[in-house]
Amino acid sequence: MSFFDSEIWIQLMTIIGEFTFFLILGMLLAAVALAIIAAASITRGKFYLPRILIPGMVLLEGLVKAFCKLLGLDDKDLITFFITLRNTMNTQAFSETPVEQRAVFLPQCLRSAQCPANLTPEGLKCRNCGRCSVGENAEWLESIGYRVFIVPGSTFIKRMVKKYRPQAIIGVGCLMEVKDGIDMSDRIGIIAIGVVNVKDGCVETIADWTAVRDAALLGIKPPSDAVDFHGPAE
C-alpha cells in the first residue's frame, strides 16, 4: 500500500480540508462583519471600530467590496470612506511630524493646458505663471516649510521619497490615486493624508485647495508674513 493510500495521508488531508473550510468560512464572516460596520459608518457618518476596519479592509478588500455592493454601496462610497478613515487615523501622527519632514505631492494634471513648466528628474518645476492655481498654492505651501513636488506618476513619488525621506506626506489626486498612495505610504512606513480632487480627468483637473491647506496646517502655525491663500477652493 502506498503512502497516499495510508490512514496517515487520509487523516492529513481531512485535517487540511477542515482547516481550509473553516479558514474560508472565517474570512467570509469577517468580510460580512466589516461590510456591515463600513456601511453603518458611512450611513451614520461615524467611524465604528476603526482599528479593526483598517487592517480588515486591507486584508479582505475584495470580499468586503463584494458584500458592500450587496448592501447597496458602490466602490466610490467605499474608497471615499477608506480615505476618510485613514486620514482620521493619521491626523495625530501627521500633526506631530515637524513640517521640515513633510512633503506635498501634486499631480501634473492640475496644471493649465498652456503650462510652460518643464519636466525635470524631480517633477515639474512650476513657473507660477498664473495660468492655474498650482503656482500660488505651491508657493504658500513652501512658505510654511513644505517641500512640494508636482509629479506625473507614482514612479516620481517613490523616487522623491527615497531621495528626501519625508516622514509624512500629503497626496493630492483622483480617488483611486489617493487610495493607492495611502496604501503605498502604509507599506513603506510613511504617514499620509490624502486629498481628493474636486474635478477629475487627465487635463486641467481641480484640487480641493482648501482641504490641502487645512491638511498642511495640521500641528503648525503659518508664519505671520506668509501669503494667505486660505480661501474658498477655486
Side-chain angles (χ1 to χ4, degrees), residues 124-142:
L124 290 174
K125 290 302 179 183
C126 180
R127 298 185 183 181
N128 202 1
C129 65
R131 291 182 173 89
C132 70
S133 56
V134 172
E136 61 180 4
N137 284 283
E139 181 181 357
W140 183 85
L141 289 164
E142 290 171 345

Side-chain angles (χ1 to χ4, degrees), residues 111-188:
R111 62 175 174 160
S112 165
Q114 289 79 42
C115 176
N118 296 320
L119 184 63
T120 74
E122 296 193 357
L124 290 174
K125 290 302 179 183
C126 180
R127 298 185 183 181
N128 202 1
C129 65
R131 291 182 173 89
C132 70
S133 56
V134 172
E136 61 180 4
N137 284 283
E139 181 181 357
W140 183 85
L141 289 164
E142 290 171 345
S143 75
I144 62 173
Y146 278 83
R147 193 183 297 275
V148 180
F149 300 97
I150 306 168
V151 297
S154 59
T155 300
F156 276 79
I157 296 176
K158 293 176 182 177
R159 187 186 305 162
M160 294 305 98
V161 166
K162 184 176 181 180
K163 180 176 181 179
Y164 293 102
R165 300 187 180 280
Q167 294 184 10
I169 66 173
I170 298 173
V172 181
C174 69
L175 198 65
M176 281 306 303
E177 286 176 335
V178 170
K179 180 189 178 299
D180 290 344
I182 291 176
D183 287 341
M184 180 191 72
S185 299
D186 188 56
R187 288 193 299 270
I188 60 180

Side-chain angles (χ1 to χ4, degrees), residues 2 4 12-13 52 63 68 71-72 83-84 92 94 99 104 121-124 134 137 140 150 153 163 198 206 223 232:
S2 69
F4 296 106
L12 179 62
M13 289 298 98
I52 295 176
L63 286 173
C68 280
L71 294 173
I83 293 170
T84 305
Q92 182 175 350
F94 188 93
V99 68
V104 179
E122 296 193 357
L124 290 174
V134 172
N137 284 283
W140 183 85
I150 306 168
K163 180 176 181 179
V198 295
I206 300 175

Side-chain angles (χ1 to χ4, degrees), residues 34-88:
L34 289 168
I36 293 173
I37 295 171
S41 299
I42 294 170
T43 302
R44 300 181 184 181
K46 181 180 178 180
F47 295 125
Y48 295 100
L49 304 176
R51 297 195 179 278
I52 295 176
L53 269 176
I54 290 178
M57 290 177 69
V58 170
L59 292 172
L60 302 172
E61 182 176 353
L63 286 173
V64 173
K65 282 184 177 181
F67 286 117
C68 280
K69 286 184 178 180
L70 293 177
L71 294 173
L73 299 176
D74 60 23
D75 286 348
K76 184 177 180 180
D77 291 332
L78 188 60
I79 294 170
T80 300
F81 169 72
F82 176 87
I83 293 170
T84 305
L85 177 63
R86 294 299 292 272
N87 285 350
T88 302

